[in-house]
Amino acid sequence: MPPPPATGREQEVGPGQDNTLAKEAKKAAAHEPDPQHPDDAISEAKPSIGRELYALFRDMLRGRKGWPMLRLSVAILVVLIGNMFGQVRLNQWNGAFFDAVEKRATGAFFDQLLVFLVIVAVLLALVVAQTWLQERLKIRLRQRLTQVLLDLWLRPNHAYQLGFMGKSGSQPDQRMQEDCRLFSELSTELGVGMLQALLLLVSFIGVLWGLSSPVTFTIAGNAITIPGYMVWVAVGYAGIGSGLTWLVGRPLIRLNTERYAREADLRFALVRVNESAESVALYNGEPDERRSLDDFVEAVLKASRRLSGGLARLTWITSGYGWLAIVVPILAAAPDYFAGRLSFGEMMMVVGAFNQVQSALRYFVDNFPKIADWRSAVLRVATFRQAALDLDEVAAENRRIDIAPHPKGWLSFEGVSIALNDGSILIEDATAEIKPGERVLIMGESGAGKSTLFRAISGLWPWGSGKVRVPKPEEMMFLPQRPYLPLGTLRAAISYPTSPDTFDDSDVRAALERCGLGEFLDMLDRHERWDRTLSLGQQQRVAFARVILHKPCWVFMDEATSALDEDNQASMLALFENELKGASVLSIGHRPGLEEFHTRTLHIRKTSEGAILLTRPARAAKPKLGPKWIGRFRRKLRPSQVQEG
């Protein structure tokens, strides 16, 4: 996994910028492979389906969480065996009933109708039980598979780094929602259907063999006898249909995989435009976005058109096979019936058994489109799982920054170099040490790698070399420019990443009021999209309220006050003089006056070989805060605090 090309914070693609997603959609619509991604979604059909299925089910059945799936599977097997005996008994009733019809025996006719009602009642109960158990198994299977993928995806730093694993790690939303749904539903339906077909095949082959008289052919004066010829007719007929289905329908696997990939791209593009609707509107970029989305839609439609053509070609085989199946068993049994070796009831038993045998054998024919759909879902889920498993191993094969705890609980950089995927160095030989209680400002021009250095500290960006020694993870908190606000209540957003029940209500309210968000006190338990309801400045103040509650010893801020006015910025930074006094602060910022808050400044300066880290010594005999900062702090402190000062 080469290091990704991104430098600094990610940029939104807006009107007038290079829309790489649109280019990918055009390539997909033209059915052109992407040279930068040889593991394109279409090539995902290459891995062994058996090996991938084994790995997936091994993970799902591991531990006690797999027992409900096993219990449901055993219950379904018991119901299917009962259904098999019921079908055999129904076939026997079929012969007795039509014999009564042929003989015009009224009493036997009505007796057989009563027997039929009993058999149907039992079979109906079994079918209902099978349906209920099958639906429950789908739910359990989806639950367990989603849990497995979520565990892999949400390992520390994996969700971020999987985005750099190419197509195999892309679109996690579709892999864990749509593909998991398809996998669970189709695996259950196809698995239960295949098992049922196998049980019926075993039972009715014996019935058909017993009812079939041997056929003798004379070739070159030699008599050749074929016992149980009806069985061989059923096997031959199903074999021809299955072979033709495989030849005609094999491209459906690739076409389904391609369609899912294009659908995922379209959904991602739509969500992205929706999330950036305000920016698009401010640029008057709707026409440009419409052109880009048209490319995605065209890619989906092109993939769907290819798939529809393949399905239409396959329908010639499946439908023709189904229509011929009506008369083939009657034609095969007719010689024995007209010769008097079979009664009318026995002939109907032969036809029924033949239909059951060839129905079991033609399971592949009837379900090939569904099998192709299932196989695509299996491989997309499996490749995503494998990408998550391989992430650490693949990353270790490249240059990697050594991140480990500092023996004294400090923060230090020892010869750290941060690399890009083209081999260039973003930051070269960064060496510095930050002690507890220091407030350090990192400055530098845009693109010099300040945000990437922060990612390296957190472990998000492992590409490079050198050593980073960090404090204990539970003592650190990172404040990005745009804070993450989870779905749910405002209380949950302030308490994140811990549970909302972790903190007392009075503490949460005090933190909210301290950060100038008192107007939201009555909305703490309201469910909203708070990332849209609150302005960016208010979101940044929510992040500082979060800091007040968690009280970390080390706070890392990446432009965390960029959306605040000077007074609000002063109020938030005053936290480190009062509520969080003694906390260490490492921050990125460009706004004037920030140097007065920090006790030390590190400059990242670009050179031809890469950016270098320069240390500006702390100014001697200078108070921690200048007069104008003290004034701003005092204006924002509560009256009691001002009087005490």
Side-chain angles (χ1 to χ4, degrees):
M1 178 178 59
T7 61
R9 65 179 57 85
E10 297 175 0
Q11 301 292 329
E12 293 185 0
V13 178
Q17 293 178 285
D18 181 24
N19 196 328
T20 55
L21 282 173
K23 291 182 178 179
E24 290 182 7
K26 290 179 180 178
K27 289 182 180 180
H31 200 53
E32 298 174 1
D34 189 344
Q36 295 182 352
H37 297 292
D39 56 339
D40 191 86
I42 297 176
S43 67
E44 288 182 0
K46 292 182 180 179
S48 167
I49 187 69
R51 185 171 62 251
E52 302 296 349
L53 272 178
Y54 170 77
L56 285 172
F57 277 100
R58 181 192 60 198
D59 288 353
M60 287 188 287
L61 295 175
R62 185 177 295 156
R64 299 184 62 181
K65 293 183 178 179
W67 280 108
M69 293 169 51
L70 292 175
R71 287 196 297 267
L72 285 171
S73 300
V74 171
I76 290 175
L77 177 61
V78 171
V79 170
L80 290 179
I81 292 174
N83 183 274
M84 176 191 69
F85 285 111
Q87 292 291 342
V88 172
R89 181 66 185 88
L90 182 64
N91 190 65
Q92 294 171 349
W93 170 88
N94 206 36
F97 177 75
F98 282 104
D99 279 341
V101 171
E102 183 184 24
K103 296 174 183 178
R104 294 181 175 83
T106 306
F109 176 81
F110 284 107
D111 289 342
Q112 291 302 319
L113 284 179
L114 292 176
V115 173
F116 173 76
L117 292 177
V118 174
I119 296 174
V120 167
V122 174
L123 285 176
L124 180 60
L126 290 172
V127 169
V128 171
Q130 177 183 334
T131 301
W132 184 82
L133 290 170
Q134 188 169 309
E135 292 302 315
R136 296 290 295 178
L137 183 58
K138 288 180 185 178
I139 296 171
R140 288 288 187 182
L141 191 59
R142 182 177 183 181
Q143 176 189 26
R144 189 70 188 109
L145 179 58
T146 305
Q147 288 173 346
V148 168
L149 293 185
L150 283 174
D151 288 342
L152 292 172
W153 185 53
L154 292 179
R155 285 181 181 177
N157 304 332
H158 272 213
Y160 175 77
Q161 294 175 358
L162 265 175
F164 304 121
M165 287 289 284
K167 289 287 184 181
S168 58
S170 64
Q171 289 124 10
D173 54 338
Q174 171 152 343
R175 310 290 178 118
M176 285 178 280
Q177 186 267 322
E178 183 66 13
D179 291 335
C180 280
R181 181 188 66 81
L182 284 172
F183 176 88
S184 59
E185 292 182 357
L186 294 179
S187 293
T188 303
E189 291 175 8
L190 293 172
V192 172
M194 196 172 297
L195 181 59
Q196 186 172 22
L198 179 62
L199 291 174
L200 291 176
L201 176 64
V202 171
S203 60
F204 278 98
I205 274 186
V207 174
L208 191 59
W209 188 279
L211 291 172
S212 300
S213 59
V215 174
T216 302
F217 296 95
T218 302
I219 301 177
N222 297 318
I224 300 175
T225 301
I226 302 177
Y229 82 100
M230 288 289 291
V231 174
W232 301 113
V233 172
V235 171
Y237 183 67
I240 292 172
S242 299
L244 290 174
T245 300
W246 171 250
L247 290 175
V248 176
R250 185 170 52 179
L252 289 178
I253 298 172
R254 175 180 56 81
L255 295 174
N256 270 301
T257 304
E258 179 190 357
R259 186 192 65 174
Y260 287 138
R262 302 290 81 81
E263 292 279 6
D265 289 340
L266 174 60
R267 183 169 60 184
F268 173 77
L270 291 170
V271 170
R272 191 166 171 275
V273 172
N274 183 52
E275 295 290 340
S276 305
E278 180 182 358
S279 299
V280 171
L282 291 174
Y283 276 105
N284 293 323
E286 288 85 356
D288 182 72
E289 296 300 329
R290 174 58 189 271
R291 286 191 297 271
S292 298
L293 291 175
D294 282 344
D295 293 330
F296 286 100
V297 172
E298 181 58 29
V300 171
L301 295 179
K302 215 156 204 178
S304 299
R305 282 194 289 269
R306 294 192 192 100
L307 182 62
S308 63
L311 288 172
R313 289 187 292 272
L314 183 61
T315 303
W316 284 100
I317 305 299
T318 55
S319 294
Y321 183 94
W323 289 114
L324 289 175
I326 297 175
V327 297
V328 167
I330 297 176
L331 291 175
D336 280 346
Y337 175 71
F338 289 119
R341 290 189 292 269
L342 289 177
S343 67
F344 183 63
E346 289 174 331
M347 186 183 76
M348 297 307 295
M349 286 180 65
V350 169
V351 171
F354 182 94
N355 284 331
Q356 290 285 5
V357 170
Q358 69 89 25
S359 176
L361 291 173
R362 63 173 273 178
Y363 184 82
F364 179 77
V365 176
D366 291 337
N367 293 278
F368 191 85
K370 189 181 291 187
I371 292 172
D373 204 5
W374 166 79
R375 193 169 187 268
S376 299
V378 170
L379 291 172
R380 282 178 61 80
V381 170
T383 52
F384 181 77
R385 168 192 168 275
Q386 195 60 46
L389 289 173
D390 292 344
L391 181 59
D392 292 333
E393 180 181 347
V394 174
E397 296 174 358
N398 295 275
R399 288 201 308 164
R400 189 177 181 92
I401 299 172
D402 178 20
I403 301 176
H406 195 288
K408 296 182 180 180
W410 300 359
L411 174 67
S412 66
F413 309 101
E414 302 173 22
V416 175
S417 295
I418 298 177
L420 298 181
N421 69 336
D422 58 2
S424 61
I425 301 298
L426 183 64
I427 294 180
E428 175 67 40
D429 195 24
T431 300
E433 191 170 62
I434 301 168
K435 299 178 181 179
E438 288 193 281
R439 295 199 293 265
V440 179
L441 175 65
I442 297 180
M443 301 186 70
E445 60 183 289
S446 179
K450 301 182 298 299
S451 296
T452 310
L453 182 62
F454 264 45
R455 294 191 183 108
I457 296 171
S458 67
L460 285 178
W461 195 282
W463 301 283
S465 60
K467 299 179 180 179
V468 177
R469 297 294 177 256
V470 297
K472 297 178 181 178
E474 61 269 18
E475 295 180 350
M476 298 189 295
M477 180 168 281
F478 291 82
L479 274 65
Q481 182 177 10
R482 180 175 289 276
Y484 173 68
L485 302 184
L487 297 175
T489 63
L490 183 57
R491 186 188 302 275
I494 296 174
S495 305
Y496 187 83
T498 58
S499 168
D501 301 329
T502 305
F503 305 103
D504 293 337
D505 180 70
S506 57
D507 293 336
V508 175
R509 291 177 178 274
L512 201 66
E513 193 167 5
R514 168 62 184 86
C515 293
L517 298 170
E519 66 269 27
F520 296 101
L521 288 174
D522 295 334
M523 306 179 189
L524 271 173
D525 297 309
R526 180 183 298 179
H527 287 262
E528 295 277 358
R529 278 292 305 271
W530 293 106
D531 56 334
R532 293 186 176 184
T533 304
L534 302 178
S535 67
L536 180 56
Q538 290 171 327
Q539 293 179 42
Q540 290 182 345
R541 282 183 278 162
V542 167
F544 278 100
R546 192 180 291 165
V547 171
I548 293 175
L549 291 178
H550 288 275
K551 294 181 172 56
C553 298
W554 291 78
V555 180
F556 300 87
M557 300 189 295
D558 183 4
E559 300 279 4
T561 61
S562 60
L564 301 178
D565 56 65
E566 290 190 4
D567 286 345
N568 274 306
Q569 177 178 260
S571 175
M572 295 303 99
L573 295 179
L575 292 171
F576 301 104
E577 286 294 317
N578 297 286
E579 291 88 342
L580 299 172
K581 189 173 184 179
S584 305
V585 180
L586 187 68
S587 60
I588 291 174
H590 300 90
R591 297 180 65 173
L594 279 178
E595 290 188 58
E596 297 189 37
F597 164 74
H598 296 83
T599 58
R600 184 176 165 198
T601 303
L602 298 178
H603 281 267
I604 295 181
R605 191 178 69 191
K606 277 188 174 181
T607 68
S608 57
E609 290 80 19
I612 58 174
L613 191 65
L614 301 176
T615 301
R616 176 182 295 178
R619 300 170 186 172
K622 180 179 177 180
K624 287 185 178 180
L625 300 173
K628 65 177 182 179
W629 282 99
I630 294 293
R632 290 171 187 163
F633 290 156
R634 295 178 69 88
R635 286 198 299 270
K636 289 299 178 181
L637 297 178
R638 288 192 288 270
S640 60
Q641 293 175 309
V642 175
Q643 292 171 4
E644 292 173 2

